[in-house]
Amino acid sequence: MSSPSISEICQFIKDDLDAVEKKLREKTASHYDFVDLAVQHVIEGGGKRLRPVLLVLSAKACGYDGEDAHTLAVVVELIHVASLVHDDVLDEAPIRRKRETLHSKWGNKVAVLVGDYLHARVLSMLVARHADDPAMSILSDATQAMCEGEVIHAYKNGDFNISQDDYLKIVGLKTGRLITASCMIGAILGTKDEKIIQALREYGEAVGAAFQIIDDLLDFVADQEKFGKQSFSDLREGKLTFPMIYTREVCTAEERTTLEQVFNADTEPDSAIEWIEALLRRYRTQAHCLGAAQVYADRAKSALAALPDTPAGRALQQLADYVVSRDW
Ligand code: FPP
Ligand code: MG
């Protein structure tokens, strides 16, 4: 049986997610028409809202059911959206969440500044809460880690020999840290029990790794329309990701030489895409990535053993599998 979709898993928190959606709109509204237009272009682009979902579920799993979880869910989503707006500038990506990216529509200057604007909204929302709030330090650390991850990734861009270890370190920073922060902040709303908070930290780290491995895989195998992003974009950008690192390691020396030429070519890799697809089939790269992501999903589920049995805890279990089985 296939895993349930994210909306099926989250049906019982629909009211919370609607409240988050409303707050996202309210908290990012600008009095200036064009700022508002550009900001809402990315906010209304939607997405899975994985980080808000993780935060709300983690809070509920730890016994907290109040509105502060909605505020913090908005905060983590805004950090995420801001980072994607900047990431799309760095990656020169034309489409995100089935929409034209902000920089493609209005240029890099607008995109960089809208990212900064969203980040400023995050700071003001956090300051409006209490200054000694642990969410403040968790989120400033996470944002710093995301920037560090992206800097290292940009620095390593074009490195055909990047190791799996380096790759997983980058992923842990750029993707894992905000997902982990979302889980921990939710936990802290409901409990002071360090064992539970650490369990949700472990859960978030493992879900983050599984999420990015599947994100990398979908770049090669997803239906572009459903995925909402351009296919083969990592290859176009000269970014060696999990599927390619694995394939580079297991293929023959001759194939590796051709792969490196495709990877280093200045031209778009369109003509080589069929060859790459055949290579991925030959080495069962998809199955390998699904298996590797599932190991992380299983690790995430094991970490949840420390939590009491609640509907939210069970939804977190299902989400770990969803992250692996998703097709967008
Ligand atoms: C997507 O990676 C990007 C991230 C997970 C993080 C990006 C972080 C920054 C730009 C630094 C932080 C900036 C702010 C404003 C907080 P990807 O390119 O692998 O995934 P994709 O296929 O979705 O683009
Ligand atoms: Mg990108």
Side-chain angles (χ1 to χ4, degrees):
M1 204 183 76
S2 64
S3 327
S5 68
I6 192 161
S7 52
E8 284 163 342
I9 297 169
C10 296
Q11 191 52 40
F12 77 110
I13 55 162
K14 188 173 180 311
D15 289 350
D16 294 274
L17 298 180
D18 286 347
V20 169
E21 224 42 53
K22 187 161 172 273
K23 211 168 216 173
L24 255 177
R25 179 74 185 84
E26 281 166 13
K27 293 292 179 189
T28 53
S30 165
H31 297 302
Y32 302 97
D33 286 350
F34 179 71
V35 178
D36 205 50
L37 182 69
V39 167
Q40 295 323 316
H41 179 81
V42 284
I43 297 297
E44 287 165 5
K48 291 175 277 297
R49 306 295 195 220
L50 179 66
R51 291 149 192 83
V53 162
L54 287 170
L55 195 149
V56 168
L57 287 176
S58 299
K60 281 188 196 292
C62 295
Y64 180 84
D65 209 11
E67 213 186 301
D68 210 17
H70 302 160
T71 305
L72 288 168
V74 167
V75 165
V76 293
E77 185 64 13
L78 289 183
I79 297 175
H80 175 57
V81 173
S83 77
L84 292 184
V85 169
H86 284 180
D87 181 69
D88 286 337
V89 174
L90 299 173
D91 290 349
E92 298 174 24
I95 322 169
R96 160 86 60 190
R97 294 173 168 176
K98 304 184 184 172
R99 291 186 168 202
E100 215 179 324
T101 46
L102 207 62
H103 72 92
S104 311
K105 206 166 163 67
W106 285 301
N108 283 354
K109 292 179 188 177
V110 167
V112 167
L113 294 165
V114 166
D116 292 345
Y117 169 85
L118 292 173
H119 210 58
R121 295 301 305 131
V122 165
L123 289 178
S124 95
M125 285 178 74
L126 285 174
V127 167
R129 302 173 76 254
H130 15 110
D132 60 348
D133 183 353
M136 192 87 122
S137 58
I138 291 175
L139 287 173
S140 44
D141 285 354
T143 309
Q144 177 180 332
M146 291 167 78
C147 295
E148 289 166 336
E150 283 281 281
V151 172
I152 302 169
H153 215 179
Y155 176 68
K156 291 268 177 191
N157 210 29
D159 180 358
F160 182 71
N161 291 311
I162 185 171
S163 68
Q164 265 202 44
D165 268 4
D166 278 347
Y167 166 85
L168 288 169
K169 218 173 281 163
I170 291 168
V171 164
L173 292 168
K174 74 168 197 175
T175 308
R177 286 293 283 275
L178 187 59
I179 288 184
T180 304
S182 305
C183 298
M184 287 180 77
I185 289 169
I188 288 166
L189 285 175
T191 185
K192 287 191 167 41
D193 185 338
E194 207 42 49
K195 197 167 78 71
I196 304 259
I197 298 169
Q198 290 316 316
L200 278 160
R201 181 178 59 76
E202 276 171 42
Y203 171 87
E205 283 172 357
V207 163
F211 182 89
Q212 188 65 45
I213 290 172
I214 297 299
D215 200 66
D216 293 346
L217 174 65
L218 288 173
D219 194 58
F220 290 98
V221 302
D223 168 32
Q224 180 170 315
E225 179 57 29
K226 194 153 190 194
F227 194 32
K229 300 188 261 193
Q230 188 184 36
S231 299
F232 295 96
S233 62
D234 292 331
L235 194 66
R236 284 178 219 281
E237 289 153 29
K239 227 197 263 177
L240 215 70
T241 60
F242 195 82
M244 276 294 123
I245 295 173
Y246 163 73
T247 312
R248 181 202 67 202
E249 281 170 2
V250 292
C251 69
T252 65
E254 203 181 317
E255 286 164 339
R256 197 170 306 129
T257 306
T258 311
L259 191 59
E260 186 165 11
Q261 279 160 0
V262 172
F263 180 74
N264 286 331
D266 283 337
T267 51
E268 291 275 309
D270 291 336
S271 56
I273 279 174
E274 270 178 37
W275 182 82
I276 299 245
E277 283 177 324
L279 191 71
L280 297 181
R281 275 196 301 277
R282 192 167 315 138
Y283 291 101
R284 298 174 41 80
T285 300
Q286 181 163 4
H288 175 79
C289 294
L290 287 170
Q294 192 61 49
V295 169
Y296 282 107
D298 291 343
R299 193 179 292 173
K301 290 190 284 181
S302 307
L304 295 178
L307 270 66
D309 181 26
T310 60
R314 288 195 290 278
L316 287 171
Q317 297 267 1
Q318 289 179 306
L319 263 184
D321 285 329
Y322 157 78
V323 159
V324 180
S325 65
R326 72 200 172 94
D327 56 4
W328 68 288

